[in-house]
Amino acid sequence: METIVESDNLRRAFRQVKANKGAAGVDGMTVETFADHAREHWPVIKAKLEDGSSQPGAVRGVCIPKPNGGERRLGIPTVQDRLIQQAVLQVLTPAFDPEFSTHSYGYRPGRSAHDAVRAAQELIRAGQSWTVDLDISAFFDELDHDILMRQVSAKVKDKRVLRLIGDYLRAPVQLEGQREKRTRGTPQGGPLSPLLANIYLDALDQELERRGLNFCRYADDVVIFVGSERSGQRVLASLTTWLEKHLKLRVNATKSGVNGPGEGNFLGFQLDTEGHTKPTAKSLDRFKAKVRDFWNARRSQPLPERIAAWQRYVRGWWNYFRISDDHREVRRTEGWIRRHLRKFFWQRWHNRRGRANALRRLGAKGRQQQLASSAVGAWRLARCPTLHTVLNNARLRRWGLYVPSDLAAT
């Protein structure tokens, strides 16, 4: 505990919490206002941590939609608890991480999702083209506290730290004014949760290695590489039983399965028989859904704010999927994206006068300006030559309305 509350460690922790720019917790305190609060109250907070009497606050529950339907619950601790969790994380990571499996890539220093995908490519190229997708049902909501604390206590002997971690695991979730006690799971949203997840699933990694299986794991996303369908079915059945018995986790039978050569996917990438990658159809569908949402003219948002948000999203999406070997499907979406952009501006110009003024301002000449009187629907008009001329690709780029190919050259 003395190492956790050491000044340099806390300063590093606060810089990281500030850089993450998270929302306020149940107390409403922001990162900015916490700095003043800490100057006055930190001696008392530190003393409680050192004598083991510190109690975390409730976690603010937030539900966000999952890409495939349903909701995922996030838990946002208070800024003070995020700071303490980050300080604990910085001390525990050097103790645990070096002994984690080389096949584990999620939330680890110096490792990334791209590293996991590249490792999967190499295993397929080595001849193991059948894959087992192992989907653990509601992992972050269902991990067993007793099992996790036994794993943590194998390395952590300070009872104050163990008690603090246990208190964070059991901290109630406040959602829509109601507080809900927790007896299992670790809330996604706290800095410490990813490390605790890796500690918990390290037992699975060890079991897979004991069996001599090649695999890649990114948090609770696991893909195992085998030589045949029969081998894959056997592995899936035995691991389903093992997880229930040893880690009290359930395998989602509808989302888990054995995939043949060229049918495997991992972290949003489809893997072909030679280990080449491209975004999966689901990844592209989610991207298209975001495009529709961003450029829905009925959604009220200032244009500069909308463009800035679009730039952040499309840059992030492209930076993730740019390692694909095949970008043809992505390229095919770009004309469709620009059509949505032209449709958005047409609808934003509202009426005949507004459209006439906009067309004139953008350089429309003579008969081109007659388009303002058109009764044709906006989606159909977005393909017309006049809009392609006045809202050409170069102009859209100048306005910052990028598509992936615009970013590929940067």
Side-chain angles (χ1 to χ4, degrees):
M1 181 61 76
E2 283 70 25
T3 308
I4 289 169
V5 300
E6 193 269 328
S7 297
D8 286 344
N9 188 53
L10 288 169
R11 277 193 288 269
R12 277 201 302 133
F14 183 71
R15 284 197 296 269
Q16 186 61 51
V17 169
K18 190 174 181 180
N20 290 340
K21 300 179 180 178
V26 294
D27 60 359
M29 189 177 297
T30 65
V31 175
E32 291 74 22
T33 56
F34 175 75
D36 293 332
H37 173 83
R39 289 187 190 98
E40 181 179 353
H41 297 284
W42 185 254
V44 175
I45 299 169
K46 179 181 178 183
K48 288 183 176 181
L49 288 168
E50 290 177 325
D51 67 22
S53 63
S54 176
Q55 285 292 320
V59 174
R60 182 163 72 89
V62 178
C63 292
I64 61 172
K66 290 183 178 180
N68 299 324
E71 289 184 328
R72 173 181 289 111
R73 181 184 290 185
L74 300 183
I76 303 175
T78 64
V79 175
Q80 177 175 306
D81 286 331
R82 295 208 297 273
L83 169 67
I84 296 170
Q85 285 193 36
Q86 181 66 33
V88 173
L89 173 70
Q90 291 169 182
V91 173
L92 294 193
T93 296
F96 284 94
D97 189 81
E99 296 185 16
F100 285 154
S101 169
T102 57
H103 302 284
S104 168
Y105 294 89
Y107 309 113
R108 297 184 60 189
R111 291 182 160 232
S112 68
H114 286 174
D115 294 325
V117 172
R118 292 187 183 102
Q121 289 178 282
E122 291 305 314
L123 289 170
I124 288 178
R125 289 167 183 161
Q128 293 190 299
S129 54
W130 286 82
T131 59
V132 179
D133 287 338
L134 196 64
D135 187 278
I136 301 172
S137 295
F139 166 70
F140 282 92
D141 295 328
E142 296 196 0
L143 63 80
D144 185 273
H145 289 175
D146 292 336
I147 293 174
L148 176 59
M149 291 309 298
R150 283 199 299 272
Q151 294 167 323
V152 174
S153 63
K155 286 187 178 295
V156 178
K157 303 304 179 184
D158 190 325
K159 291 183 179 179
R160 298 167 298 176
V161 178
L162 292 173
R163 187 183 303 114
L164 181 65
I165 293 172
D167 288 341
Y168 278 128
L169 290 172
R170 293 185 294 271
V173 174
Q174 182 168 308
L175 183 64
E176 297 179 351
Q178 300 294 318
R179 289 201 174 187
E180 175 185 309
K181 292 183 178 180
R182 290 190 300 118
T183 58
R184 58 177 57 233
T186 178
Q188 291 178 266
L192 197 53
S193 291
L195 175 63
L196 296 179
N198 276 332
I199 292 171
Y200 198 88
L201 289 176
D202 188 57
L204 172 61
D205 297 343
Q206 292 179 30
E207 176 64 15
L208 293 171
E209 290 176 349
R210 187 187 67 79
R211 297 185 184 194
L213 294 168
N214 287 315
F215 67 97
C216 294
R217 181 175 69 78
Y218 191 93
D220 58 335
D221 200 333
V222 187
V223 61
I224 303 160
F225 298 84
V226 294
S228 67
E229 181 179 13
R230 183 177 179 183
S231 175
Q233 295 292 356
R234 186 171 61 249
V235 166
L236 179 58
S238 64
L239 284 176
T240 298
T241 302
W242 187 91
L243 282 164
E244 291 174 352
K245 179 180 179 181
H246 295 278
L247 294 181
K248 298 184 180 180
L249 295 173
R250 297 176 296 112
V251 171
N252 187 330
T254 60
K255 294 183 179 180
S256 301
V258 180
N259 297 308
E263 298 174 354
N265 62 80
F266 185 44
L267 299 178
F269 291 88
Q270 184 176 334
L271 307 166
D272 71 11
T273 53
E274 297 179 353
H276 297 148
T277 61
K278 64 180 181 180
T280 63
K282 287 183 178 179
S283 297
L284 287 171
D285 286 344
R286 287 195 289 269
F287 177 61
K288 289 179 178 179
K290 291 292 287 187
V291 171
R292 294 187 189 98
D293 180 57
F294 266 108
W295 302 110
N296 180 352
R298 289 188 294 271
R299 184 164 64 84
S300 178
Q301 186 180 24
L303 183 59
E305 183 180 309
R306 192 186 299 251
I307 292 175
W310 167 251
Q311 289 177 342
R312 287 193 298 271
Y313 174 74
V314 74
R315 284 186 188 279
W317 193 92
W318 173 249
N319 286 339
Y320 184 73
F321 284 106
R322 72 187 307 161
I323 69 166
S324 299
D325 301 296
D326 185 349
H327 293 137
R328 285 176 295 180
E329 293 299 324
V330 176
R331 295 284 190 265
R332 290 189 186 106
T333 69
E334 294 184 347
W336 177 86
I337 294 170
R338 292 187 178 108
R339 186 175 177 185
H340 271 280
L341 295 172
R342 294 180 180 112
K343 174 191 171 186
F344 166 80
F345 281 104
W346 182 258
Q347 292 175 322
R348 189 170 180 266
W349 295 334
H350 297 303
N351 53 37
R352 177 178 175 180
R353 177 178 292 180
R355 289 164 182 164
N357 289 337
L359 290 171
R360 191 180 307 109
R361 190 168 57 250
L362 293 171
K365 305 293 184 183
R367 295 181 61 184
Q368 289 180 326
Q369 296 179 16
Q370 296 176 10
L371 186 68
S373 304
S374 176
V376 176
W379 181 244
R380 184 177 170 188
L381 269 177
R383 297 184 66 179
C384 78
T386 297
L387 275 190
H388 272 255
T389 299
V390 299
L391 293 176
N392 57 48
N393 296 354
R395 174 165 273 152
L396 293 176
R397 278 194 294 271
R398 284 198 303 273
W399 290 352
L401 298 168
Y402 306 130
V403 297
S405 63
D406 298 326
L407 303 170
T410 62

